[in-house]
Amino acid sequence: MDRRSSHRSGELLQPTLLLIGDLVALEVAFLITYALRFTTEWLPSPLGVPPFEQYLVTSVILLVVWAGIFHALGLYDPTRRNSFEEDFDGIVRGVVLGSMLVLAMAF
């Protein structure tokens, strides 16, 4: 393995770890949301409880959408060198856009 190949694989490690961390965090958030929404009596479920398997499939589809949004915003670009403010701005934009898409898909 030459030096360039080693450098390139090291360059991809951070974005890959960020992506994996984001996907795990989002899936945990979806599962907690399901548990709070449908297994507690905090919020009524007038239409009943959707099958967990259906919710799980939907959450995986949404993971792809969220990852695509964050990727499109350049948040996983290994060559970017942004300030905290620029990163924060990109994350807020991604969360707002992702939330809007989730809401649009829900209705």
Side-chain angles (χ1 to χ4, degrees), residues 19 22-23 26-27 30 56-76 90-91 93-106:
L19 175 63
D22 286 349
L23 294 176
L26 284 167
E27 187 59 31
F30 287 131
L56 195 59
V57 168
T58 302
S59 73
V60 170
I61 293 167
L62 291 174
L63 288 178
V64 173
V65 170
W66 280 83
I69 290 169
F70 287 165
H71 177 74
L73 291 172
L75 295 173
Y76 301 126
I91 292 167
R93 287 174 189 243
V95 169
V96 168
L97 181 58
S99 298
M100 288 172 46
L101 284 173
V102 168
L103 287 172
M105 291 171 70

PDB file of all heavy atoms in Angstrom, residues 19 22-23 26-27 30 56-76 90-91 93-106:
ATOM      1  N   LEU A  19     -21.178   9.344   9.125  1.00  0.00           N
ATOM      2  CA  LEU A  19     -22.386   8.790   8.510  1.00  0.00           C
ATOM      3  C   LEU A  19     -22.975   7.685   9.382  1.00  0.00           C
ATOM      4  O   LEU A  19     -24.181   7.669   9.662  1.00  0.00           O
ATOM      5  CB  LEU A  19     -22.089   8.263   7.108  1.00  0.00           C
ATOM      6  CG  LEU A  19     -23.236   7.556   6.403  1.00  0.00           C
ATOM      7  CD1 LEU A  19     -24.407   8.503   6.178  1.00  0.00           C
ATOM      8  CD2 LEU A  19     -22.768   6.954   5.093  1.00  0.00           C
ATOM      9  N   ASP A  22     -24.502   9.194  12.476  1.00  0.00           N
ATOM     10  CA  ASP A  22     -25.762   9.865  12.160  1.00  0.00           C
ATOM     11  C   ASP A  22     -26.886   8.859  11.939  1.00  0.00           C
ATOM     12  O   ASP A  22     -28.009   9.043  12.424  1.00  0.00           O
ATOM     13  CB  ASP A  22     -25.615  10.747  10.918  1.00  0.00           C
ATOM     14  CG  ASP A  22     -24.832  12.014  11.181  1.00  0.00           C
ATOM     15  OD1 ASP A  22     -24.563  12.329  12.357  1.00  0.00           O
ATOM     16  OD2 ASP A  22     -24.483  12.703  10.197  1.00  0.00           O
ATOM     17  N   LEU A  23     -26.599   7.797  11.207  1.00  0.00           N
ATOM     18  CA  LEU A  23     -27.629   6.788  10.937  1.00  0.00           C
ATOM     19  C   LEU A  23     -28.086   6.099  12.211  1.00  0.00           C
ATOM     20  O   LEU A  23     -29.287   5.882  12.419  1.00  0.00           O
ATOM     21  CB  LEU A  23     -27.118   5.763   9.913  1.00  0.00           C
ATOM     22  CG  LEU A  23     -26.862   6.299   8.508  1.00  0.00           C
ATOM     23  CD1 LEU A  23     -26.265   5.208   7.619  1.00  0.00           C
ATOM     24  CD2 LEU A  23     -28.116   6.878   7.885  1.00  0.00           C
ATOM     25  N   LEU A  26     -30.191   8.629  14.234  1.00  0.00           N
ATOM     26  CA  LEU A  26     -31.517   8.810  13.639  1.00  0.00           C
ATOM     27  C   LEU A  26     -32.413   7.599  13.875  1.00  0.00           C
ATOM     28  O   LEU A  26     -33.597   7.746  14.206  1.00  0.00           O
ATOM     29  CB  LEU A  26     -31.398   9.080  12.141  1.00  0.00           C
ATOM     30  CG  LEU A  26     -30.940  10.483  11.763  1.00  0.00           C
ATOM     31  CD1 LEU A  26     -30.541  10.534  10.289  1.00  0.00           C
ATOM     32  CD2 LEU A  26     -32.028  11.492  12.057  1.00  0.00           C
ATOM     33  N   GLU A  27     -31.869   6.406  13.723  1.00  0.00           N
ATOM     34  CA  GLU A  27     -32.679   5.204  13.937  1.00  0.00           C
ATOM     35  C   GLU A  27     -33.107   5.093  15.393  1.00  0.00           C
ATOM     36  O   GLU A  27     -34.261   4.763  15.689  1.00  0.00           O
ATOM     37  CB  GLU A  27     -31.923   3.938  13.506  1.00  0.00           C
ATOM     38  CG  GLU A  27     -32.772   2.691  13.549  1.00  0.00           C
ATOM     39  CD  GLU A  27     -34.005   2.751  12.656  1.00  0.00           C
ATOM     40  OE1 GLU A  27     -33.992   3.405  11.601  1.00  0.00           O
ATOM     41  OE2 GLU A  27     -35.010   2.107  13.015  1.00  0.00           O
ATOM     42  N   PHE A  30     -35.951   7.464  15.832  1.00  0.00           N
ATOM     43  CA  PHE A  30     -37.194   6.926  15.276  1.00  0.00           C
ATOM     44  C   PHE A  30     -37.799   5.871  16.214  1.00  0.00           C
ATOM     45  O   PHE A  30     -39.005   5.843  16.429  1.00  0.00           O
ATOM     46  CB  PHE A  30     -36.967   6.311  13.889  1.00  0.00           C
ATOM     47  CG  PHE A  30     -36.749   7.315  12.803  1.00  0.00           C
ATOM     48  CD1 PHE A  30     -35.690   7.180  11.925  1.00  0.00           C
ATOM     49  CD2 PHE A  30     -37.601   8.401  12.632  1.00  0.00           C
ATOM     50  CE1 PHE A  30     -35.480   8.108  10.908  1.00  0.00           C
ATOM     51  CE2 PHE A  30     -37.407   9.331  11.624  1.00  0.00           C
ATOM     52  CZ  PHE A  30     -36.341   9.177  10.764  1.00  0.00           C
ATOM     53  N   LEU A  56     -40.597   0.292  10.958  1.00  0.00           N
ATOM     54  CA  LEU A  56     -39.161   0.038  10.792  1.00  0.00           C
ATOM     55  C   LEU A  56     -38.740   0.206   9.336  1.00  0.00           C
ATOM     56  O   LEU A  56     -37.714   0.831   9.048  1.00  0.00           O
ATOM     57  CB  LEU A  56     -38.822  -1.359  11.299  1.00  0.00           C
ATOM     58  CG  LEU A  56     -37.365  -1.684  11.530  1.00  0.00           C
ATOM     59  CD1 LEU A  56     -36.753  -0.725  12.553  1.00  0.00           C
ATOM     60  CD2 LEU A  56     -37.220  -3.110  12.044  1.00  0.00           C
ATOM     61  N   VAL A  57     -39.528  -0.321   8.408  1.00  0.00           N
ATOM     62  CA  VAL A  57     -39.223  -0.164   6.983  1.00  0.00           C
ATOM     63  C   VAL A  57     -39.243   1.313   6.603  1.00  0.00           C
ATOM     64  O   VAL A  57     -38.347   1.810   5.899  1.00  0.00           O
ATOM     65  CB  VAL A  57     -40.209  -0.976   6.110  1.00  0.00           C
ATOM     66  CG1 VAL A  57     -40.094  -0.605   4.640  1.00  0.00           C
ATOM     67  CG2 VAL A  57     -39.979  -2.470   6.304  1.00  0.00           C
ATOM     68  N   THR A  58     -40.240   2.032   7.084  1.00  0.00           N
ATOM     69  CA  THR A  58     -40.337   3.464   6.801  1.00  0.00           C
ATOM     70  C   THR A  58     -39.134   4.207   7.364  1.00  0.00           C
ATOM     71  O   THR A  58     -38.576   5.092   6.713  1.00  0.00           O
ATOM     72  CB  THR A  58     -41.640   4.042   7.390  1.00  0.00           C
ATOM     73  OG1 THR A  58     -42.745   3.333   6.841  1.00  0.00           O
ATOM     74  CG2 THR A  58     -41.774   5.517   7.089  1.00  0.00           C
ATOM     75  N   SER A  59     -38.700   3.829   8.560  1.00  0.00           N
ATOM     76  CA  SER A  59     -37.557   4.511   9.167  1.00  0.00           C
ATOM     77  C   SER A  59     -36.276   4.281   8.366  1.00  0.00           C
ATOM     78  O   SER A  59     -35.458   5.191   8.227  1.00  0.00           O
ATOM     79  CB  SER A  59     -37.361   4.086  10.629  1.00  0.00           C
ATOM     80  OG  SER A  59     -36.855   2.773  10.723  1.00  0.00           O
ATOM     81  N   VAL A  60     -36.118   3.101   7.803  1.00  0.00           N
ATOM     82  CA  VAL A  60     -34.927   2.823   6.985  1.00  0.00           C
ATOM     83  C   VAL A  60     -34.958   3.675   5.714  1.00  0.00           C
ATOM     84  O   VAL A  60     -33.934   4.229   5.297  1.00  0.00           O
ATOM     85  CB  VAL A  60     -34.817   1.318   6.660  1.00  0.00           C
ATOM     86  CG1 VAL A  60     -33.736   1.053   5.629  1.00  0.00           C
ATOM     87  CG2 VAL A  60     -34.545   0.530   7.932  1.00  0.00           C
ATOM     88  N   ILE A  61     -36.138   3.815   5.111  1.00  0.00           N
ATOM     89  CA  ILE A  61     -36.268   4.680   3.935  1.00  0.00           C
ATOM     90  C   ILE A  61     -35.912   6.114   4.305  1.00  0.00           C
ATOM     91  O   ILE A  61     -35.186   6.808   3.582  1.00  0.00           O
ATOM     92  CB  ILE A  61     -37.691   4.585   3.349  1.00  0.00           C
ATOM     93  CG1 ILE A  61     -37.923   3.194   2.771  1.00  0.00           C
ATOM     94  CG2 ILE A  61     -37.919   5.663   2.296  1.00  0.00           C
ATOM     95  CD1 ILE A  61     -39.367   2.882   2.443  1.00  0.00           C
ATOM     96  N   LEU A  62     -36.400   6.567   5.461  1.00  0.00           N
ATOM     97  CA  LEU A  62     -36.103   7.925   5.905  1.00  0.00           C
ATOM     98  C   LEU A  62     -34.622   8.116   6.213  1.00  0.00           C
ATOM     99  O   LEU A  62     -34.075   9.202   6.018  1.00  0.00           O
ATOM    100  CB  LEU A  62     -36.961   8.284   7.120  1.00  0.00           C
ATOM    101  CG  LEU A  62     -38.454   8.448   6.814  1.00  0.00           C
ATOM    102  CD1 LEU A  62     -39.237   8.659   8.105  1.00  0.00           C
ATOM    103  CD2 LEU A  62     -38.692   9.591   5.851  1.00  0.00           C
ATOM    104  N   LEU A  63     -33.953   7.069   6.681  1.00  0.00           N
ATOM    105  CA  LEU A  63     -32.503   7.152   6.910  1.00  0.00           C
ATOM    106  C   LEU A  63     -31.769   7.472   5.613  1.00  0.00           C
ATOM    107  O   LEU A  63     -30.850   8.287   5.602  1.00  0.00           O
ATOM    108  CB  LEU A  63     -31.966   5.839   7.492  1.00  0.00           C
ATOM    109  CG  LEU A  63     -32.314   5.527   8.930  1.00  0.00           C
ATOM    110  CD1 LEU A  63     -31.745   4.162   9.309  1.00  0.00           C
ATOM    111  CD2 LEU A  63     -31.822   6.595   9.878  1.00  0.00           C
ATOM    112  N   VAL A  64     -32.183   6.828   4.541  1.00  0.00           N
ATOM    113  CA  VAL A  64     -31.564   7.083   3.244  1.00  0.00           C
ATOM    114  C   VAL A  64     -31.811   8.534   2.820  1.00  0.00           C
ATOM    115  O   VAL A  64     -30.903   9.219   2.326  1.00  0.00           O
ATOM    116  CB  VAL A  64     -32.088   6.090   2.176  1.00  0.00           C
ATOM    117  CG1 VAL A  64     -31.584   6.452   0.796  1.00  0.00           C
ATOM    118  CG2 VAL A  64     -31.709   4.664   2.547  1.00  0.00           C
ATOM    119  N   VAL A  65     -33.035   9.016   3.045  1.00  0.00           N
ATOM    120  CA  VAL A  65     -33.368  10.401   2.694  1.00  0.00           C
ATOM    121  C   VAL A  65     -32.513  11.379   3.504  1.00  0.00           C
ATOM    122  O   VAL A  65     -31.911  12.300   2.954  1.00  0.00           O
ATOM    123  CB  VAL A  65     -34.876  10.667   2.920  1.00  0.00           C
ATOM    124  CG1 VAL A  65     -35.199  12.143   2.789  1.00  0.00           C
ATOM    125  CG2 VAL A  65     -35.710   9.850   1.946  1.00  0.00           C
ATOM    126  N   TRP A  66     -32.438  11.167   4.815  1.00  0.00           N
ATOM    127  CA  TRP A  66     -31.651  12.062   5.672  1.00  0.00           C
ATOM    128  C   TRP A  66     -30.168  12.028   5.292  1.00  0.00           C
ATOM    129  O   TRP A  66     -29.526  13.072   5.206  1.00  0.00           O
ATOM    130  CB  TRP A  66     -31.817  11.680   7.147  1.00  0.00           C
ATOM    131  CG  TRP A  66     -33.079  12.185   7.751  1.00  0.00           C
ATOM    132  CD1 TRP A  66     -34.304  11.601   7.676  1.00  0.00           C
ATOM    133  CD2 TRP A  66     -33.254  13.384   8.501  1.00  0.00           C
ATOM    134  NE1 TRP A  66     -35.216  12.362   8.343  1.00  0.00           N
ATOM    135  CE2 TRP A  66     -34.614  13.453   8.872  1.00  0.00           C
ATOM    136  CE3 TRP A  66     -32.389  14.390   8.902  1.00  0.00           C
ATOM    137  CZ2 TRP A  66     -35.117  14.500   9.615  1.00  0.00           C
ATOM    138  CZ3 TRP A  66     -32.911  15.431   9.661  1.00  0.00           C
ATOM    139  CH2 TRP A  66     -34.261  15.479  10.002  1.00  0.00           C
ATOM    140  N   ALA A  67     -29.630  10.838   5.075  1.00  0.00           N
ATOM    141  CA  ALA A  67     -28.226  10.735   4.686  1.00  0.00           C
ATOM    142  C   ALA A  67     -27.987  11.440   3.357  1.00  0.00           C
ATOM    143  O   ALA A  67     -26.963  12.108   3.176  1.00  0.00           O
ATOM    144  CB  ALA A  67     -27.805   9.266   4.608  1.00  0.00           C
ATOM    145  N   GLY A  68     -28.927  11.303   2.436  1.00  0.00           N
ATOM    146  CA  GLY A  68     -28.809  11.996   1.146  1.00  0.00           C
ATOM    147  C   GLY A  68     -28.826  13.503   1.303  1.00  0.00           C
ATOM    148  O   GLY A  68     -28.067  14.219   0.634  1.00  0.00           O
ATOM    149  N   ILE A  69     -29.678  13.995   2.181  1.00  0.00           N
ATOM    150  CA  ILE A  69     -29.730  15.445   2.427  1.00  0.00           C
ATOM    151  C   ILE A  69     -28.410  15.932   3.003  1.00  0.00           C
ATOM    152  O   ILE A  69     -27.839  16.921   2.537  1.00  0.00           O
ATOM    153  CB  ILE A  69     -30.896  15.791   3.372  1.00  0.00           C
ATOM    154  CG1 ILE A  69     -32.241  15.590   2.672  1.00  0.00           C
ATOM    155  CG2 ILE A  69     -30.776  17.215   3.903  1.00  0.00           C
ATOM    156  CD1 ILE A  69     -33.436  15.649   3.598  1.00  0.00           C
ATOM    157  N   PHE A  70     -27.924  15.251   4.018  1.00  0.00           N
ATOM    158  CA  PHE A  70     -26.665  15.672   4.642  1.00  0.00           C
ATOM    159  C   PHE A  70     -25.504  15.578   3.655  1.00  0.00           C
ATOM    160  O   PHE A  70     -24.618  16.428   3.643  1.00  0.00           O
ATOM    161  CB  PHE A  70     -26.373  14.845   5.894  1.00  0.00           C
ATOM    162  CG  PHE A  70     -27.252  15.186   7.073  1.00  0.00           C
ATOM    163  CD1 PHE A  70     -27.326  14.338   8.150  1.00  0.00           C
ATOM    164  CD2 PHE A  70     -28.001  16.348   7.113  1.00  0.00           C
ATOM    165  CE1 PHE A  70     -28.114  14.645   9.252  1.00  0.00           C
ATOM    166  CE2 PHE A  70     -28.801  16.671   8.200  1.00  0.00           C
ATOM    167  CZ  PHE A  70     -28.856  15.805   9.273  1.00  0.00           C
ATOM    168  N   HIS A  71     -25.524  14.549   2.826  1.00  0.00           N
ATOM    169  CA  HIS A  71     -24.472  14.410   1.808  1.00  0.00           C
ATOM    170  C   HIS A  71     -24.558  15.545   0.791  1.00  0.00           C
ATOM    171  O   HIS A  71     -23.543  16.135   0.421  1.00  0.00           O
ATOM    172  CB  HIS A  71     -24.575  13.057   1.114  1.00  0.00           C
ATOM    173  CG  HIS A  71     -23.593  12.879   0.015  1.00  0.00           C
ATOM    174  ND1 HIS A  71     -22.255  12.663   0.245  1.00  0.00           N
ATOM    175  CD2 HIS A  71     -23.746  12.922  -1.331  1.00  0.00           C
ATOM    176  CE1 HIS A  71     -21.626  12.573  -0.917  1.00  0.00           C
ATOM    177  NE2 HIS A  71     -22.512  12.726  -1.887  1.00  0.00           N
ATOM    178  N   ALA A  72     -25.778  15.847   0.341  1.00  0.00           N
ATOM    179  CA  ALA A  72     -25.970  16.920  -0.644  1.00  0.00           C
ATOM    180  C   ALA A  72     -25.518  18.269  -0.094  1.00  0.00           C
ATOM    181  O   ALA A  72     -25.061  19.131  -0.855  1.00  0.00           O
ATOM    182  CB  ALA A  72     -27.434  16.984  -1.074  1.00  0.00           C
ATOM    183  N   LEU A  73     -25.644  18.450   1.203  1.00  0.00           N
ATOM    184  CA  LEU A  73     -25.205  19.700   1.831  1.00  0.00           C
ATOM    185  C   LEU A  73     -23.693  19.713   2.097  1.00  0.00           C
ATOM    186  O   LEU A  73     -23.169  20.680   2.625  1.00  0.00           O
ATOM    187  CB  LEU A  73     -25.975  19.935   3.134  1.00  0.00           C
ATOM    188  CG  LEU A  73     -27.457  20.255   2.959  1.00  0.00           C
ATOM    189  CD1 LEU A  73     -28.164  20.275   4.312  1.00  0.00           C
ATOM    190  CD2 LEU A  73     -27.638  21.585   2.231  1.00  0.00           C
ATOM    191  N   GLY A  74     -23.014  18.626   1.743  1.00  0.00           N
ATOM    192  CA  GLY A  74     -21.560  18.570   1.887  1.00  0.00           C
ATOM    193  C   GLY A  74     -21.073  18.256   3.283  1.00  0.00           C
ATOM    194  O   GLY A  74     -19.892  18.422   3.587  1.00  0.00           O
ATOM    195  N   LEU A  75     -21.953  17.753   4.139  1.00  0.00           N
ATOM    196  CA  LEU A  75     -21.557  17.501   5.524  1.00  0.00           C
ATOM    197  C   LEU A  75     -20.641  16.288   5.675  1.00  0.00           C
ATOM    198  O   LEU A  75     -19.993  16.137   6.704  1.00  0.00           O
ATOM    199  CB  LEU A  75     -22.798  17.352   6.404  1.00  0.00           C
ATOM    200  CG  LEU A  75     -23.652  18.619   6.519  1.00  0.00           C
ATOM    201  CD1 LEU A  75     -24.934  18.326   7.274  1.00  0.00           C
ATOM    202  CD2 LEU A  75     -22.866  19.731   7.185  1.00  0.00           C
ATOM    203  N   TYR A  76     -20.590  15.428   4.681  1.00  0.00           N
ATOM    204  CA  TYR A  76     -19.712  14.258   4.730  1.00  0.00           C
ATOM    205  C   TYR A  76     -18.510  14.398   3.806  1.00  0.00           C
ATOM    206  O   TYR A  76     -17.775  13.428   3.599  1.00  0.00           O
ATOM    207  CB  TYR A  76     -20.487  12.985   4.381  1.00  0.00           C
ATOM    208  CG  TYR A  76     -21.641  12.713   5.306  1.00  0.00           C
ATOM    209  CD1 TYR A  76     -22.916  12.516   4.815  1.00  0.00           C
ATOM    210  CD2 TYR A  76     -21.462  12.654   6.679  1.00  0.00           C
ATOM    211  CE1 TYR A  76     -23.982  12.269   5.655  1.00  0.00           C
ATOM    212  CE2 TYR A  76     -22.518  12.410   7.536  1.00  0.00           C
ATOM    213  CZ  TYR A  76     -23.771  12.215   7.017  1.00  0.00           C
ATOM    214  OH  TYR A  76     -24.825  11.973   7.861  1.00  0.00           O
ATOM    215  N   GLY A  90     -25.029  24.167   8.273  1.00  0.00           N
ATOM    216  CA  GLY A  90     -25.342  23.025   7.407  1.00  0.00           C
ATOM    217  C   GLY A  90     -26.201  21.991   8.107  1.00  0.00           C
ATOM    218  O   GLY A  90     -27.133  21.435   7.520  1.00  0.00           O
ATOM    219  N   ILE A  91     -25.910  21.745   9.379  1.00  0.00           N
ATOM    220  CA  ILE A  91     -26.693  20.775  10.143  1.00  0.00           C
ATOM    221  C   ILE A  91     -28.124  21.271  10.330  1.00  0.00           C
ATOM    222  O   ILE A  91     -29.089  20.526  10.145  1.00  0.00           O
ATOM    223  CB  ILE A  91     -26.019  20.481  11.496  1.00  0.00           C
ATOM    224  CG1 ILE A  91     -24.709  19.729  11.264  1.00  0.00           C
ATOM    225  CG2 ILE A  91     -26.935  19.682  12.408  1.00  0.00           C
ATOM    226  CD1 ILE A  91     -23.807  19.650  12.476  1.00  0.00           C
ATOM    227  N   ARG A  93     -29.740  23.401   8.443  1.00  0.00           N
ATOM    228  CA  ARG A  93     -30.414  23.313   7.145  1.00  0.00           C
ATOM    229  C   ARG A  93     -30.848  21.877   6.846  1.00  0.00           C
ATOM    230  O   ARG A  93     -31.952  21.636   6.353  1.00  0.00           O
ATOM    231  CB  ARG A  93     -29.500  23.802   6.029  1.00  0.00           C
ATOM    232  CG  ARG A  93     -29.310  25.293   6.014  1.00  0.00           C
ATOM    233  CD  ARG A  93     -28.268  25.649   4.955  1.00  0.00           C
ATOM    234  NE  ARG A  93     -27.889  27.026   5.043  1.00  0.00           N
ATOM    235  CZ  ARG A  93     -28.095  27.907   4.081  1.00  0.00           C
ATOM    236  NH1 ARG A  93     -28.627  27.535   2.943  1.00  0.00           N
ATOM    237  NH2 ARG A  93     -27.735  29.159   4.242  1.00  0.00           N
ATOM    238  N   GLY A  94     -29.967  20.928   7.118  1.00  0.00           N
ATOM    239  CA  GLY A  94     -30.292  19.526   6.876  1.00  0.00           C
ATOM    240  C   GLY A  94     -31.440  19.045   7.741  1.00  0.00           C
ATOM    241  O   GLY A  94     -32.335  18.342   7.264  1.00  0.00           O
ATOM    242  N   VAL A  95     -31.437  19.426   9.010  1.00  0.00           N
ATOM    243  CA  VAL A  95     -32.506  19.006   9.916  1.00  0.00           C
ATOM    244  C   VAL A  95     -33.837  19.634   9.511  1.00  0.00           C
ATOM    245  O   VAL A  95     -34.874  18.963   9.494  1.00  0.00           O
ATOM    246  CB  VAL A  95     -32.139  19.356  11.381  1.00  0.00           C
ATOM    247  CG1 VAL A  95     -33.337  19.183  12.302  1.00  0.00           C
ATOM    248  CG2 VAL A  95     -30.978  18.494  11.851  1.00  0.00           C
ATOM    249  N   VAL A  96     -33.822  20.908   9.155  1.00  0.00           N
ATOM    250  CA  VAL A  96     -35.062  21.573   8.734  1.00  0.00           C
ATOM    251  C   VAL A  96     -35.597  20.930   7.456  1.00  0.00           C
ATOM    252  O   VAL A  96     -36.789  20.584   7.363  1.00  0.00           O
ATOM    253  CB  VAL A  96     -34.847  23.094   8.551  1.00  0.00           C
ATOM    254  CG1 VAL A  96     -36.029  23.739   7.841  1.00  0.00           C
ATOM    255  CG2 VAL A  96     -34.603  23.760   9.898  1.00  0.00           C
ATOM    256  N   LEU A  97     -34.737  20.740   6.472  1.00  0.00           N
ATOM    257  CA  LEU A  97     -35.170  20.127   5.207  1.00  0.00           C
ATOM    258  C   LEU A  97     -35.656  18.693   5.437  1.00  0.00           C
ATOM    259  O   LEU A  97     -36.706  18.298   4.916  1.00  0.00           O
ATOM    260  CB  LEU A  97     -34.035  20.164   4.178  1.00  0.00           C
ATOM    261  CG  LEU A  97     -34.340  19.593   2.813  1.00  0.00           C
ATOM    262  CD1 LEU A  97     -35.530  20.300   2.175  1.00  0.00           C
ATOM    263  CD2 LEU A  97     -33.125  19.716   1.917  1.00  0.00           C
ATOM    264  N   GLY A  98     -34.911  17.928   6.222  1.00  0.00           N
ATOM    265  CA  GLY A  98     -35.314  16.555   6.519  1.00  0.00           C
ATOM    266  C   GLY A  98     -36.633  16.495   7.257  1.00  0.00           C
ATOM    267  O   GLY A  98     -37.497  15.658   6.951  1.00  0.00           O
ATOM    268  N   SER A  99     -36.825  17.399   8.209  1.00  0.00           N
ATOM    269  CA  SER A  99     -38.084  17.443   8.956  1.00  0.00           C
ATOM    270  C   SER A  99     -39.253  17.788   8.047  1.00  0.00           C
ATOM    271  O   SER A  99     -40.346  17.214   8.166  1.00  0.00           O
ATOM    272  CB  SER A  99     -37.998  18.462  10.098  1.00  0.00           C
ATOM    273  OG  SER A  99     -36.999  18.079  11.014  1.00  0.00           O
ATOM    274  N   MET A 100     -39.030  18.733   7.144  1.00  0.00           N
ATOM    275  CA  MET A 100     -40.090  19.114   6.203  1.00  0.00           C
ATOM    276  C   MET A 100     -40.447  17.932   5.296  1.00  0.00           C
ATOM    277  O   MET A 100     -41.629  17.685   5.018  1.00  0.00           O
ATOM    278  CB  MET A 100     -39.657  20.313   5.385  1.00  0.00           C
ATOM    279  CG  MET A 100     -39.634  21.598   6.190  1.00  0.00           C
ATOM    280  SD  MET A 100     -38.920  23.032   5.366  1.00  0.00           S
ATOM    281  CE  MET A 100     -39.657  23.017   3.771  1.00  0.00           C
ATOM    282  N   LEU A 101     -39.449  17.189   4.850  1.00  0.00           N
ATOM    283  CA  LEU A 101     -39.715  16.020   4.004  1.00  0.00           C
ATOM    284  C   LEU A 101     -40.453  14.936   4.766  1.00  0.00           C
ATOM    285  O   LEU A 101     -41.378  14.309   4.234  1.00  0.00           O
ATOM    286  CB  LEU A 101     -38.415  15.477   3.424  1.00  0.00           C
ATOM    287  CG  LEU A 101     -37.828  16.281   2.280  1.00  0.00           C
ATOM    288  CD1 LEU A 101     -36.452  15.761   1.899  1.00  0.00           C
ATOM    289  CD2 LEU A 101     -38.737  16.241   1.065  1.00  0.00           C
ATOM    290  N   VAL A 102     -40.071  14.712   6.022  1.00  0.00           N
ATOM    291  CA  VAL A 102     -40.754  13.713   6.835  1.00  0.00           C
ATOM    292  C   VAL A 102     -42.217  14.096   7.027  1.00  0.00           C
ATOM    293  O   VAL A 102     -43.120  13.273   6.887  1.00  0.00           O
ATOM    294  CB  VAL A 102     -40.048  13.526   8.188  1.00  0.00           C
ATOM    295  CG1 VAL A 102     -40.899  12.712   9.150  1.00  0.00           C
ATOM    296  CG2 VAL A 102     -38.695  12.855   7.996  1.00  0.00           C
ATOM    297  N   LEU A 103     -42.449  15.376   7.325  1.00  0.00           N
ATOM    298  CA  LEU A 103     -43.827  15.846   7.499  1.00  0.00           C
ATOM    299  C   LEU A 103     -44.611  15.726   6.191  1.00  0.00           C
ATOM    300  O   LEU A 103     -45.774  15.316   6.200  1.00  0.00           O
ATOM    301  CB  LEU A 103     -43.841  17.282   7.999  1.00  0.00           C
ATOM    302  CG  LEU A 103     -43.437  17.477   9.448  1.00  0.00           C
ATOM    303  CD1 LEU A 103     -43.288  18.948   9.779  1.00  0.00           C
ATOM    304  CD2 LEU A 103     -44.453  16.820  10.377  1.00  0.00           C
ATOM    305  N   ALA A 104     -43.974  16.058   5.085  1.00  0.00           N
ATOM    306  CA  ALA A 104     -44.652  15.946   3.794  1.00  0.00           C
ATOM    307  C   ALA A 104     -44.978  14.497   3.471  1.00  0.00           C
ATOM    308  O   ALA A 104     -46.051  14.198   2.926  1.00  0.00           O
ATOM    309  CB  ALA A 104     -43.776  16.558   2.692  1.00  0.00           C
ATOM    310  N   MET A 105     -44.090  13.582   3.820  1.00  0.00           N
ATOM    311  CA  MET A 105     -44.334  12.169   3.555  1.00  0.00           C
ATOM    312  C   MET A 105     -45.430  11.605   4.471  1.00  0.00           C
ATOM    313  O   MET A 105     -46.107  10.647   4.119  1.00  0.00           O
ATOM    314  CB  MET A 105     -43.041  11.368   3.739  1.00  0.00           C
ATOM    315  CG  MET A 105     -41.996  11.649   2.676  1.00  0.00           C
ATOM    316  SD  MET A 105     -40.397  10.923   3.030  1.00  0.00           S
ATOM    317  CE  MET A 105     -40.748   9.184   2.820  1.00  0.00           C
ATOM    318  N   ALA A 106     -45.595  12.234   5.635  1.00  0.00           N
ATOM    319  CA  ALA A 106     -46.586  11.740   6.599  1.00  0.00           C
ATOM    320  C   ALA A 106     -48.004  12.129   6.206  1.00  0.00           C
ATOM    321  O   ALA A 106     -48.973  11.528   6.674  1.00  0.00           O
ATOM    322  CB  ALA A 106     -46.257  12.276   7.990  1.00  0.00           C
TER     323      ALA A 106
END
